[in-house]
Amino acid sequence: MPDVTLSPVTTADFPTIARLADSIWRSHYASMISMAQIDYMLAGRYTPEKLHRYLESTECWMQLLKVSGVPAGYCSYALTGIPGEMKLQELYLLPEHQGKGLGKLMLRHVETEARGRGCAVLTLTVNKGNANSIAVYRKAGFTIREKAVFDIGNGFVMDDFVMTKSLTA
Ligand SMILES: CC(C)(COP(=O)(O)OP(=O)(O)OC[C@H]1O[C@@H](n2cnc3c(N)ncnc32)[C@H](O)[C@@H]1OP(=O)(O)O)[C@@H](O)C(=O)NCCC(=O)NCCS
C-alpha cells in the first residue's frame, strides 16, 4: 500500500473536507437522491461552523485520509448518547481510491477508537440504495437492524437502513 496517513482534522483542513465531500457526494449520490437534496445536505454539513464541532467537542471526531500526502477521503464518528454506543457518521473516499482497502483501514480505525472508549456497539445509517457500501459494511460484520426514514428538513428525507456491529464478539 502507498504512503497512507489518517489524522485528526484541523481548521486548515476544512476547505479540503468540503471539497472532498462535494466531489464524492455529487458523483456517488446522483443516482440515489436528487441534486437539490445533495446541494442541501452539502450546504448544511460542511460549513466551518459545523466542522468546528469536531475540534471543540469531546464526543465526536473527524479524520482526514491522505495517500502520498494528497487528500483522498475522510471519516467521522460520534458517541450517540446511548451508553456503550458509537456511530460511524461518515466514511468517504474519492472514486479513484475506492476498492483498494482504504475504507477498511478507516473502518478499523473507527472500531479501534470505539473500543478504546469502552463502546460495545458501532452503529451507522446508510441509504437503502447504496448497495456497494451496504456490501462493504456486511463484509465488515455489520447487520441491518431496521429501516428508518429521517426527515432532514426542506421537504427532504433520508431513506436508510440502520446497521450495527457488536464490538465485543
Ligand atoms: C464505502 C467506502 C468507504 C468503502 O471503502 P473501499 O475502500 O471502497 O472498500 P475496501 O476496498 O476497503 O473494501 C472493504 C471490503 O469490502 C469488500 N467489498 C468492497 N465492495 C464490495 C461489494 N460491492 N460487494 C462485496 N464486497 C465488497 C472488499 O472486497 C473488502 O473485503 P475484504 O474485507 O475481504 O478485504 C467507499 O467505497 C466509498 O467511499 N464509497 C462511496 C461513498 C459511500 O457510499 N460511503 C458510505 C456512506 S454510508
Side-chain angles (χ1 to χ4, degrees), residues 51-146:
L51 292 172
H52 253 292
R53 194 166 36 110
Y54 292 103
L55 307 186
E56 288 155 5
S57 169
T58 53
E59 300 192 345
C60 62
W61 301 268
M62 180 178 270
Q63 302 272 328
L64 174 63
L65 181 102
K66 290 184 182 176
V67 176
S68 303
V70 180
Y74 59 98
C75 64
S76 69
Y77 44 101
L79 295 171
T80 64
I82 297 171
E85 187 179 273
M86 182 79 83
K87 182 176 182 196
L88 171 65
Q89 293 183 303
E90 296 166 293
L91 186 71
Y92 290 106
L93 284 167
L94 287 169
E96 60 268 34
H97 291 290
Q98 293 172 14
K100 297 175 183 170
L102 296 173
K104 194 167 159 177
L105 182 147
M106 288 196 283
L107 208 39
R108 279 211 189 115
H109 167 83
V110 175
E111 289 182 14
T112 302
E113 286 290 305
R115 283 196 184 91
R117 293 172 195 281
C119 292
V121 175
L122 189 58
T123 180
L124 62 87
T125 54
V126 56
N127 187 291
K128 280 184 198 159
N130 197 348
N132 279 358
S133 300
I134 292 167
V136 168
Y137 293 138
R138 281 193 193 281
K139 195 82 192 275
F142 287 82
T143 55
I144 293 173
R145 187 177 73 193
E146 59 190 326

Side-chain angles (χ1 to χ4, degrees), residues 13 20 28 40 92 94 99 117 136 166 168:
D13 296 322
L20 285 170
H28 189 70
Y40 174 73
Y92 290 106
L94 287 169
R117 293 172 195 281
V136 168
S166 166
T168 56

